[in-house]
Amino acid sequence: QNSGTSAAVATEDETYKFRLPSAASNFTAEVFGLLKAVQISSNNLQNQHIIFTDSISVIIATQQQYHGTGLIQ
């Protein structure tokens, strides 16, 4: 049984967990997690942020003009 896909963002103070629809792919979860990390860091008053990802496919997709997903713009 597929329990669905999820994404998480960990900060120094808190861990944010997000459940995605069960039809979401791993790629979509990786993109969603990166998007949430950017949003959370932009709302933080600190001047510097470091976002880590091991998803080379998401990094490549952010550099391409056509992405195939509405999450990368």
Side-chain angles (χ1 to χ4, degrees), residues 7 9 13 23 31 38 45-46:
V9 176
D13 304 318
V31 171
V38 170
L45 298 178
Q46 293 180 347

Side-chain angles (χ1 to χ4, degrees), residues 9-16:
V9 176
T11 68
E12 207 171 0
D13 304 318
E14 192 168 352
T15 299
Y16 301 85

Side-chain angles (χ1 to χ4, degrees), residues 9 29-39 51-53 58 62:
V9 176
E30 294 277 1
V31 171
F32 185 82
L34 186 60
L35 173 64
K36 286 300 184 183
V38 170
Q39 290 173 340
I51 298 174
F52 295 96
T53 181
V58 172
T62 61

Side-chain angles (χ1 to χ4, degrees), residues 16-29:
Y16 301 85
K17 299 176 184 177
F18 307 96
R19 167 103 39 218
L20 281 72
S22 59
S25 67
N26 288 340
F27 177 80
T28 298

